[in-house]
Every structure is written in C-alpha cells, then in structure tokens.
C-alpha cells in the first residue's frame, strides 16, 4: 500500500502499472493453467471437482496440490470483503488464472474488464452460460446469483467493484429514481426474493469510464491503510460517476444475461409505481393501474418479493419520513401528513417498528451525529 500523499500524486498510468504484475498465488495458478488449459474451459463448483477434471484431461503429468492456490469457497459475505463496517463500496482485483468456479455472493458485484478481456459465467437453469467481456465492458451481478469469472491473460486486469446490498438502497437511492434499464435492474434486485439476471454493459474502450475505475483502484487499493475520513464518500462518488456516465453514453448497449420470466419483468415497474405514488396509493389503485384484480396483485407481490403490499408501502413511507426528519425542520405532524398519514398515532407506531425509536429520538440522535 502507498501512503495517502503518495496515492494523491499517482497518475493513471502509474496506478495501472501497479495492477499488472502477477501476485505469487496468480503465478501458481498460471503454472497449473499452462500445464493443462483444457481443464479451465468449463466451470467447477470446488477444488475437488477441478482436480478430477484436470486429471481426466491432463497429458503433462503435472502434480496438483491437495489445496487450491486461491480461495475457492462457494459463498462470499459482506464481512469477507469489507474490513471496516462503515465502508459501503470497495474494489478487489480478480485472481488471474484461478480456475473458474461458481460462488454465491451476499453483495452486489460489478466486474469491469480494465485491461484485456475475461469470461463471465452464470448458471442458467442446468446449463453454464458464458459471456465474453471485452476490454472496457462490465457486468452488474446481483446477490444470490451463482456466477464465475475467468481471466487467462498475464497482463489482463479485471476489477471487482463491490457494493453492500445492506446499504445500497440508502447509499445509492438516487440511482433508483432514474427511469432506465439500470434502475429497473436495481429495483428488481432489491425487492425480488432472488434474481437470476445479470446486466452486461458494452462500453468499448471508453477512456472516461476507464479513468473512473482507475481512480477507484487508486483510492480503494493503494490508500486503504491510511484512508482519510472521506474515503467512503469518494468511493460512493466514483460509483455514481460510473453509472451516470454509463447512462449518458452507453444506455443502448446493455444486455441481460441469465433468465427472467415475464412476470418477473413487471416487478420493477410495479415497485417504481408504488414508490412514486406512496402518499396516496392503495392496493385498489395499483390493481386498477395494472389491470389486475386485487387478489392477484396481492399474491403476486408476496410471491415475487416475500413481502405484503402493506409492508412495502410502509417501507417507502418510513424511508421518506426518516429523510424529512433528518434533513428538514418539519414537525412530526407535518412529516406524517406529507407521507400520507392522517392518523399521527399510526405514524408513530409504524416509525418505532421500523427504526426502534420515536421520530423525535431519531432526530435527536441524528443531530448529535451531525455535530
């Protein structure tokens, strides 16, 4: 790691040069790959399965070790990737030459082909589906999706941008308010019980996007030990810049990978409608708007999200209430009225259920933090 002062003086070329050299465990993986590239053609679930495939296709006589040279677990949590609980976005380099293996994530991952290309795999029903990411392309992967990445070029650099699912809806809420493919993707990701859809963006060699990702690498990889208080804010800012520029320059170059049913495709549109009309919306009005019966709509929302309509509506109202309490001088009666509550006692009860404190206690606590 470099110091904060050294990092600030690094230009993009210097950052990229620091990303290129193979790490020791990547060299070990490369040795295995060069002995038998055929073993890396398909995705495996674990090291034991890879060893079987390697031995079945090997003609070199290479002796594999009992343990993999890199991590090959099937589950990664937020705690595995975030050293500090207050950090909401970080970057991790993908391990070159590591055998492609399926793993499930509890966070949002963006795989960006910074230098050279890579192969991206998803498990689509019972088949492996492969997508090639060329230099400059990236893919947004939702939590809970079985996926794998393989980078088999020595000077290629594949960057994983990691976003916390647990705070995404709050930290990147402005993204959800856009009306585009990415916001629909995130609405579905946040409220669907399980999405099997990734979003690939074909950007070509876009220098502006490349600069944003290099800035993220400089901040997230080389300034980590002496990170300033604003480091988390800067990383979130880079993520917003990445998405903002993508929407401005590459909105027509997005493609779905994985499977999504017709009924699943309706969910983000419906969630957006409820969110935009949360002050007055009812189950009856939503059913009428989408041409469905109330019974069907109620069952559909519960099936797709695991939540009731009433719970979703309360969630949207409470988030707006918390925002008003924190960022305005409105009294609690004005807040309740603004978010659609005519019964102040109902507002107080729902707020305490959501945040574990009264609205006034919430304001007092936030004011102390801001001081």
């Amino acid at each position: 790691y470099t110091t904060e002062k050294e990092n600030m003086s690094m230009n993009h070329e210097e950052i990229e040069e620091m990303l290129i050299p193979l790490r020791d465990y990547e060299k070990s993986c490369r040795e295995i790959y060069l002995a038998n590239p055929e073993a890396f053609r398909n995705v495996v679930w674990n090291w034991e399965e890879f060893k079987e495939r390697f031995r079945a296709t090997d003609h070199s006589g290479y002796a594999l070790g009992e343990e993999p040279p890199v991590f090959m677990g099937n589950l990664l949590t937020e705690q595995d990737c975030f050293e500090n609980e207050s950090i909401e976005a970080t970057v991790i380099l993908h391990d070159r030459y590591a055998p492609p293996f399926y793993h499930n994530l509890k966070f949002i991952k963006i795989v960006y082909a910074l230098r050279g290309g890579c192969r991206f795999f998803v498990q689509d029903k019972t088949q492996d589906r492969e997508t090639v990411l060329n230099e400059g392309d990236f893919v947004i992967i939702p939590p809970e999706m079985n996926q794998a990445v393989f980078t088999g070029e020595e000077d290629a650099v594949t960057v994983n941008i990691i976003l916390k699912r647990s705070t995404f809806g709050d930290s990147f809420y402005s993204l959800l308010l856009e009306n585009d493919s990415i916001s629909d993707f995130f609405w579905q990701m946040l409220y669907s019980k399980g999405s099997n859809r990734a979003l690939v963006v074909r950007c070509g060699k876009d220098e502006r996007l490349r600069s944003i990702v290099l800035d993220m690498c400089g901040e997230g990889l080389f300034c980590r030990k002496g990170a300033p208080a604003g480091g988390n804010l800067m990383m979130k800012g880079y993520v917003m810049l990445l998405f903002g520029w993508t929407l401005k320059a590459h909105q027509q170059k997005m493609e779905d990978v994985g499977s999504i049913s017709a009924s699943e495709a309706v969910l983000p549109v419906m969630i957006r409608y409820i969110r935009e009309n949360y002050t007055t919306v009812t189950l009856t009005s939503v059913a009428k708007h989408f041409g469905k019966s109330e019974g069907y709509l109620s069952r559909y929302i519960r099936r797709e999200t695991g939540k009731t309509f009433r719970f979703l509506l309360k969630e949207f109202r409470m988030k707006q209430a918390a925002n008003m309490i924190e960022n305005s001088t409105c009294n609690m009666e004005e807040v309740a009225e603004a978010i659609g509550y005519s019964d102040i006692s109902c507002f107080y009860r729902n707020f305490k259920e959501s945040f574990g404190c009264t609205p006034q206690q919430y304001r007092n606590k936030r004011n102390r933090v801001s001081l």
Side-chain angles (χ1 to χ4, degrees):
Y1 297 108
T2 62
T3 65
E4 178 188 343
K5 185 175 181 180
E6 289 171 333
N7 179 64
M8 291 176 65
S9 65
M10 291 170 60
N11 60 39
H12 290 161
E13 288 184 4
E14 291 170 327
I15 293 173
E16 187 172 348
E17 285 299 313
M18 294 180 69
L19 300 176
I20 293 174
L22 289 174
R23 292 158 286 182
D24 288 342
Y25 49 86
E26 290 178 311
K27 293 177 182 177
S28 299
C29 290
R30 180 185 60 180
E31 187 176 300
I32 300 170
Y33 175 78
L34 293 177
N36 183 10
E38 180 64 26
F40 292 73
R41 189 173 299 278
N42 299 109
V43 192
V44 296
W45 282 95
N46 51 50
W47 180 242
E48 292 303 316
E49 184 181 344
F50 176 77
K51 287 196 295 184
E52 290 179 13
R53 177 166 294 164
F54 186 94
R55 289 163 183 161
T57 57
D58 181 49
H59 302 288
S60 67
Y62 186 90
L64 287 176
E66 287 302 311
E67 299 295 328
V70 292
F71 170 83
M72 288 185 66
N74 294 127
L75 179 67
L76 277 172
T77 67
E78 290 184 351
Q79 289 73 25
D80 293 322
C81 296
F82 292 90
E83 300 172 0
N84 188 324
E85 288 186 4
S86 65
I87 301 299
E88 295 162 281
T90 190
V91 291
I92 300 172
L93 295 183
H94 179 72
D95 298 328
R96 283 163 286 189
Y97 296 107
F101 67 99
Y102 279 128
H103 49 291
N104 194 284
L105 313 173
K106 295 299 182 182
F107 45 79
I108 304 155
K109 181 168 78 168
I110 301 168
V111 178
Y112 181 85
L114 177 70
R115 182 184 176 98
C118 64
R119 297 158 62 201
F120 170 65
F121 302 86
V122 296
Q123 190 184 42
D124 191 2
K125 297 180 181 177
T126 59
Q127 295 182 333
D128 297 336
R129 182 170 177 179
E130 178 181 347
T131 300
V132 175
L133 298 182
N134 299 312
E135 185 172 310
D137 295 342
F138 68 88
V139 58
I140 310 170
I141 307 166
E144 315 294 344
M145 187 178 195
N146 290 323
Q147 50 80 46
V149 177
F150 177 70
T151 302
E153 301 173 34
E154 185 164 336
D155 61 349
V157 178
T158 304
V159 179
N160 295 321
I161 301 168
I162 309 298
L163 311 176
K164 274 188 176 178
R165 181 184 190 175
S166 58
T167 58
F168 182 87
D170 297 325
S171 299
F172 300 98
Y173 195 70
S174 58
L175 280 175
L176 301 173
L177 302 182
E178 298 292 327
N179 191 5
D180 52 64
S181 299
I182 288 181
S183 63
D184 281 354
F185 175 84
F186 284 131
W187 277 120
Q188 183 180 35
M189 179 200 73
L190 287 174
Y191 286 95
S192 174
K193 285 193 297 184
S195 176
N196 197 38
R197 169 199 178 201
L199 191 65
V200 173
V201 187
R202 302 290 186 186
C203 301
K205 295 185 178 181
D206 185 316
E207 288 302 320
R208 184 157 187 180
L209 276 179
R210 182 182 180 82
S211 295
I212 293 169
V213 175
L214 284 169
D215 283 333
M216 294 185 77
C217 290
E219 179 66 35
L221 294 174
F222 304 127
C223 195
R224 195 173 275 163
K225 282 191 173 178
N232 185 50
L233 186 60
M234 289 182 67
M235 291 296 287
K236 291 197 295 182
Y238 289 136
V239 172
M240 294 298 290
L241 280 173
L242 184 148
F243 284 127
W245 182 250
T246 298
L247 292 175
K248 185 174 182 178
H250 303 289
Q251 189 168 169
Q252 306 306 316
K253 303 169 187 175
M254 301 179 189
E255 58 192 60
D256 287 334
V257 175
S259 59
I260 181 171
S261 66
S263 64
E264 288 174 325
V266 176
L267 181 63
V269 182
M270 193 172 290
I271 294 295
R272 184 194 298 278
Y273 180 80
I274 297 171
R275 166 62 185 84
E276 290 175 348
N277 299 279
Y278 68 89
T279 58
T280 58
V281 76
T282 63
L283 185 63
T284 302
S285 65
V286 178
K288 183 177 180 180
H289 180 82
F290 287 95
K292 306 293 182 182
S293 71
E294 291 183 37
Y296 171 86
L297 189 69
S298 179
R299 291 190 298 273
Y300 170 82
I301 291 174
R302 161 111 38 192
R303 182 180 73 244
E304 297 296 331
T305 69
K307 302 174 182 178
T308 64
F309 170 80
R310 185 187 296 273
F311 185 91
L312 286 178
L313 182 57
K314 184 180 81 168
E315 189 173 81
F316 288 136
R317 286 177 168 177
M318 290 301 104
K319 283 184 177 180
Q320 181 60 23
N323 182 59
M324 289 185 66
I325 291 169
E326 187 174 351
N327 298 298
S328 78
T329 57
C330 294
N331 61 43
M332 300 313 160
E333 288 76 12
E334 291 170 330
V335 172
E337 183 179 357
I339 64 171
Y341 281 90
S342 56
D343 184 344
I344 188 67
S345 62
C346 182
F347 164 69
Y348 271 83
R349 183 170 61 254
N350 286 342
F351 192 93
K352 191 165 186 178
E353 286 176 359
S354 298
F355 297 100
C357 61
T358 67
Q360 189 60 54
Q361 288 171 336
Y362 184 89
R363 173 171 278 171
N364 293 342
K365 181 167 62 174
R366 293 291 171 167
N367 285 345
R368 284 197 299 272
V369 170
S370 64
L371 290 173

